[in-house]
Amino acid sequence: MSEVNRGSRVGGWTRFVTARPRLSLLAALVITALAVFAGSGVGDRMGSGGWEDPAASSTYATKALEREFPASQPNLLLLVDAGDKGVDDPAVAAEARRLTERLAAEDGVVGVGSYWQTRAPALRAEDGGEALIAARIVGTEKEAGETLERIAPEFRGTQGSLDVSVGGPVAVRHEMQAIIQEDLLRAELIALPVTLVLLVMVFGSAIAALLPLGIGIVAILGTNAVLRGITEITDVSVFAQNLTTALGLGLAVDYALFIVRRFREELAEGVEVRDAVGTTLRTAGRTVLFSALTVAVSLAAMMVFPQYFLRSFAYAGIAVVLLAAAAALILLPAALMLLGHRVNSLDLRRLFSKGRKKPTPGDGTADGTADGTSGGWGRTAALVMHRAPLFAVATATGLVLLGLPFLGVKFGTADDRQLPSSAEARVVQEDIRSGFPGSPGGGLEVLGEGGATAAEYADYRDRVAALPDVLRVDGPVVSGDHAYFTVLPRGEAVDQDTQRLVRELRAEPAAFDTSVTGTAAVLVDSKDAIGDRLPLAAGIIVVVTLLLVFLLTGSVLIPIQAVALNALSLTAMFGAVVWVFQDGHLSGFLGFTPTGDIETTLPVLMFCVAFGLSMDYGVFLISRIKEEYDRSGDHERSVIFGLQRTGGLITAAAVILAVVMVAIGTSRVTNTMMLGLGIALAVVMDAMVVRSLLVPAVMKLTGRATWWAPGPLRRFHDRFGVSEGGSHPAAVAGGTDSTGGSDGAVSGAGERDKVGV
């Protein structure tokens, strides 16, 4: 593709987004208002599960048992406290039976049973002071939650001489969903004003600071509307709302920072407003587009996994990334056209620097020198490149050491301990866990199908009971050609011994078809599903990222460096996840209960999100280095120039995104806390360590070979690739490229680094 065609295409886009700026903004306002309406109540339509594989053996067994034996799959537990009388007192027993009958009469509740009906030891506390009423609320997650909301007030609290608490999986999920929505609102109330303050500090101008915030709000509201539509088609996890808020604000800030800063630089050079918008779109705008694509690809990789928990983050992430990019590339230029030089209005820094002359973009003082290769970030880059082997080895070694705790990771599943210790559903489960025999709720169910004789069932039960990890086997309960056994493990519900027991049960021969379910079985199947699809997801991320970065740079080595260094930047996050959340260090300070394992899907989610955000910053830096290299052909100067021009920008964007993620990390639900704090750490490490130290050191070591590509690939890039270099700004605005030269020669050397960054 010729430079003329490139310039023409970009010029056409510039005319499109700037021709009717007021109309564009009005349309955006109307669409946003509709999105508020369309996305209202989206949280109430989301689920709080989604960790299981729909095609797994455990999922099949769960559905079959729910259909054939509703009482075998209780999801509602009423913990009945009889006080000093004890659960075997005749008056207590009579009151408890009446309570059981009331529960059985409720619509949507099936399979009701209690200790006072069955005398099952697993339903009676070891001290005799408490016992359980178990039932199943039928329907979807949403329907079950609505039923629970309706009946829980009727059974909770004092019931005659009994004190009743509501628990069970359906109560845990419902309470988790409510807490997440409350915490998300609090996080937004924290993040929005703090983000605005930081943006004012970055830009100086209050007007400029409001632009990224506006883009973020549009992206968040638009994504909520998209998710509301998706809930009509498939299940969506309530956890995805946290990602919507974090990425909506974080990426909007990233993209708007990059675009607004470049626009202000052009204005400072004396360029007309329309030409400044054109150059901004052709340079920073193109980088934003590539950045958005790389982030979207990383998030889209989660679509290959069957668990709707992971797929939900792909839905939310793709939507919010594309909406943030679209708003930055359409609405933001329209706003800049209308604001013009007023984008610098309301400079609040004057309140704190009276009498001091502030550097302005274009005066040569903002970045140290007129060519932008000096100043703080330029000196850092020069120092790193002067001692490149030392910085490369020391930084890489440090990151690897920080990631070593992840070698001891143990995977588990989310349970009631995700909730704060005061949550009623958790209190119930804690009482059951500590006071009832055989880990109730942690049992395994074995479904038998095809029919068998009583002797064949008895033989199977005896062989299962003889397994070393089995505490007791109850059953069989037979109905026609179906039967089920309840196997209570000796260990915890999802520890390694119980997971091994799942595989032993599946391998145990029987005269009938068997399938196993239960918490540990779901975990085993989830781990298998993730392990099977992980290579495909990683392959998608790596291949598409390599292609996109090659199209941006025309280099073979830079895409490989980008993928390798991005992966290395995540080691601190994964090490901290194990050291803090699995092993329990800092649990008292952060206020969570360590379980000794990490929920299976969380590392996959955190990798996809953090890798995409790292590429976001990587693209910003690489594109500016490439622009200067195209202009000057000086490799080392280009690296110094690129870090000088983007170091403050990337750091500011990373700090703001980290603030948003930390606000998410204040959640009272442990997984959400882990997600927020882990990604905040990854973002800060990437911006302040990898981009500042490791990237310039590695690029110094690779030298001019950094830009090498074989002839066929060079021709491919010449035809299909793009970069920030291009034509003269005036040619872009006019839709033609009269010079055919590189814009770097026109605007690259004249740009100034600091616009409040």
Side-chain angles (χ1 to χ4, degrees), residues 389-412:
L390 174 63
F391 278 98
V393 172
T395 305
T397 301
L399 290 172
V400 170
L401 290 176
L402 289 174
L404 287 180
F406 192 71
L407 296 178
V409 66
K410 297 176 182 178
F411 294 109

Side-chain angles (χ1 to χ4, degrees), residues 97-305:
R97 290 191 186 98
R98 287 193 293 271
L99 190 65
T100 303
E101 292 169 359
R102 281 176 51 203
L103 182 61
E106 294 286 348
D107 292 337
V109 179
V110 299
V112 180
S114 70
Y115 163 73
W116 296 275
Q117 292 174 322
T118 65
R119 294 290 169 177
L123 298 179
R124 180 182 182 274
E126 292 175 336
D127 64 3
E130 297 173 320
L132 294 171
I133 301 173
R136 181 164 190 85
I137 300 179
V138 297
T140 64
E141 284 186 15
K142 182 175 183 297
E143 292 167 344
E146 291 173 346
T147 301
L148 180 69
E149 285 185 339
R150 174 172 55 83
I151 68 175
E154 302 296 324
F155 292 89
R156 178 184 292 120
T158 301
Q159 304 289 328
S161 62
L162 309 177
D163 187 59
V164 181
S165 302
V166 179
V170 69
V172 170
R173 287 197 303 268
H174 187 71
E175 197 155 2
M176 188 178 297
Q177 186 170 359
I179 290 174
I180 286 173
Q181 292 189 52
E182 293 173 4
D183 291 347
L184 180 61
L185 177 60
R186 187 183 70 250
E188 290 173 343
L189 293 176
I190 295 171
L192 285 172
V194 174
T195 298
L196 180 58
V197 170
L198 291 174
L199 286 170
V200 170
M201 293 172 63
V202 169
F203 282 122
S205 163
I207 298 297
L210 288 171
L211 295 175
L213 209 58
I215 297 299
I217 292 172
V218 169
I220 292 170
L221 295 177
T223 302
N224 284 338
V226 171
L227 291 178
R228 175 63 174 80
I230 294 175
T231 60
E232 298 289 342
I233 304 171
T234 187
D235 293 319
V236 179
S237 172
V238 68
F239 287 91
Q241 280 193 298
N242 295 294
L243 186 69
T244 296
T245 297
L247 288 187
L249 281 177
L251 291 177
V253 167
D254 287 357
Y255 300 157
L257 270 175
F258 208 59
I259 288 175
V260 173
R261 179 169 180 256
R262 187 61 182 258
F263 175 73
R264 296 174 79 189
E265 289 176 352
E266 295 299 322
L267 291 184
E269 291 297 323
V271 178
E272 293 296 326
V273 171
R274 184 177 295 275
D275 291 345
V277 171
T279 300
T280 299
L281 284 175
R282 184 169 43 79
T283 54
R286 188 172 288 167
T287 301
V288 165
L289 178 60
F290 269 77
S291 173
L293 290 175
T294 57
V295 177
V297 166
S298 294
L299 297 172
M302 287 186 284
M303 292 288 290
V304 308
F305 297 101

Side-chain angles (χ1 to χ4, degrees), residues 59-83:
T59 305
Y60 168 80
T62 298
K63 292 180 178 179
L65 287 169
E66 182 180 350
R67 182 179 65 251
E68 302 293 337
F69 305 99
S72 71
Q73 296 284 291
N75 58 8
L76 174 66
L77 298 175
L78 300 185
L79 179 66
V80 179
D81 187 347

Side-chain angles (χ1 to χ4, degrees), residues 498-639:
T498 306
Q499 293 180 52
R500 182 174 63 249
L501 178 59
V502 171
R503 301 191 188 279
E504 292 173 349
L505 290 173
R506 288 173 173 173
E508 188 69 30
F512 44 89
D513 295 329
T514 63
S515 51
V516 182
T517 188
T519 305
V522 171
L523 173 59
V524 167
D525 290 337
S526 180
K527 288 167 64 176
D528 289 345
I530 289 175
D532 290 343
R533 292 164 176 81
L534 193 58
L536 175 60
I540 291 172
I541 292 174
V542 170
V543 171
V544 178
T545 299
L546 290 174
L547 177 61
L548 288 172
V549 178
F550 172 77
L551 290 175
L552 182 65
T553 64
S555 163
V556 170
L557 195 55
I558 287 180
I560 297 173
Q561 288 179 357
V563 170
L565 298 186
N566 277 10
L568 191 60
S569 73
L570 307 185
T571 53
M573 175 185 73
F574 284 124
V577 161
V578 171
W579 192 77
V580 175
F581 290 95
Q582 175 180 294
D583 299 340
H585 299 97
L586 304 180
S587 58
F589 174 73
L590 294 175
F592 69 92
T593 301
T595 59
D597 53 45
I598 299 296
E599 204 284 316
T600 312
T601 58
L602 256 295
V604 176
L605 168 63
M606 295 175 75
F607 173 82
C608 292
V609 174
F611 186 90
L613 292 174
S614 296
M615 280 305 305
D616 185 45
Y617 300 138
V619 167
F620 287 170
L621 175 58
I622 290 169
S623 64
R624 206 60 185 264
I625 294 174
K626 167 66 169 156
E627 179 182 357
E628 177 61 16
Y629 183 74
D630 286 344
R631 188 192 71 82
S632 68
D634 186 329
H635 173 69
E636 291 190 24
R637 181 186 184 283
S638 299
V639 175

